[in-house]
Amino acid sequence: MSDQFKKQAAERAADDVTSGMKLGIGTGSTAEFFVHALARRVADGLDVIGVPTSERTRELAESLGIRLTTLEELPELDLTVDGADELDPQLALIKGGGGALLREKIVAGASVQMIVIADGSKEVATLGRFPLPIEVVPFGLETTRRAILQVLEDMELPLELALRGGAESPFLTDGGHYILDAHLQQIADPGTLADRLVAIPGVVEHGLFLELATKAYVAGTDGVKTVLPI
């Protein structure tokens, strides 16, 4: 049922797209449903141009006939549509489970609006159940890891930090970086955590997306509901 809900949310977001729009196109399983829904509308004559947030999304969109560009060519976008690993009632998000958080945040930040598409399992009262991805440069990894742990300790958060993929074959992002996943359970003050993490040399970006989403479509057994930030 989860895939069906993801598809419903994605198709609802695709209905919001109008000809002439400059779109940010997200990454992940829910975003892929959006790409397919958008491609069907493009085949019917919808005129849009998109900026993909990952190589995976770029390949899929190109294969389906969606016209693409880059932020270098089109630095300002009308709308980004993307999934989320978690969203709270304020539409604060955790993203990055698919490893594309840096490009996703750059594209979302370049957009006037951001629509989140998700199934109901992604809604939480407080962020943190899903591990928080922290994208870091490989150089000085241990120094960066210790600095992150110090921030977590200062904020009385769990000191559980794992290198995605493990030391033998770490996951590599499209930007050539590693990801450390912080298992925090609950993040009482995401704003402070976001500020402290991004201030660490070696941290490229983190998966807290705050004050970026303007609307969410969340699908469940009762259909697709619209969520606006409180």
Side-chain angles (χ1 to χ4, degrees):
M1 287 298 291
S2 176
D3 278 352
Q4 183 60 34
F5 295 150
K6 291 176 182 180
K7 182 178 180 182
Q8 290 171 3
E11 290 177 344
R12 179 64 185 85
D15 288 341
D16 281 8
V17 179
T18 58
S19 278
M21 273 191 168
K22 299 168 292 221
L23 297 175
I25 305 174
T27 295
S29 58
T30 310
E32 287 183 7
F33 284 113
F34 172 74
V35 175
H36 282 279
L38 181 65
R40 289 192 292 272
R41 294 204 58 206
V42 167
D44 289 337
L46 182 72
D47 179 23
V48 295
I49 189 167
V51 174
T53 56
S54 67
E55 293 305 305
R56 176 178 171 181
T57 295
R58 179 186 61 77
E59 291 170 3
L60 177 61
E62 283 183 341
S63 74
L64 295 173
I66 297 172
R67 189 161 56 103
L68 299 179
T69 187
T70 66
L71 285 180
E72 283 70 35
E73 296 295 325
L74 204 66
E76 297 179 358
L77 305 175
D78 299 306
L79 171 66
T80 285
V81 178
D82 205 349
D85 297 302
E86 284 189 345
L87 65 153
D88 74 7
Q90 291 77 39
L91 290 191
L93 316 173
I94 285 181
K95 289 181 51 57
L101 64 112
L102 175 59
R103 293 189 185 186
E104 288 173 335
K105 190 172 284 190
I106 292 171
V107 170
S111 303
V112 176
Q113 298 183 74
M114 179 186 185
I115 294 177
V116 176
I117 47 178
D119 65 86
S121 70
K122 305 300 174 64
E123 285 189 294
V124 295
T126 304
L127 297 179
R129 181 182 64 195
F130 190 90
L132 175 66
I134 305 168
E135 189 162 344
V136 299
V137 295
F139 179 83
L141 176 63
E142 180 58 19
T143 298
T144 303
R145 189 185 73 85
R146 292 186 183 200
I148 294 170
L149 287 172
Q150 186 61 59
V151 168
L152 301 183
E153 183 175 1
D154 291 346
M155 295 187 66
E156 299 182 346
L157 290 165
L159 305 181
E160 188 177 347
L161 195 61
L163 178 63
R164 189 178 297 185
E168 296 301 317
S169 56
F171 175 88
L172 201 64
T173 70
D174 284 342
H177 305 130
Y178 292 165
I179 289 181
L180 295 170
D181 289 309
H183 297 255
L184 304 178
Q185 308 307 321
Q186 287 192 326
I187 305 172
D189 188 353
T192 297
L193 179 60
D195 290 343
R196 292 201 59 184
L197 287 176
V198 83
I200 296 172
V203 170
V204 179
E205 194 48 90
H206 52 74
L208 289 167
F209 282 51
L210 309 179
E211 299 181 0
L212 286 170
T214 52
K215 179 166 62 174
Y217 290 127
V218 180
T221 55
D222 296 329
V224 180
K225 68 177 179 179
T226 301
V227 181
L228 300 174
I230 294 175

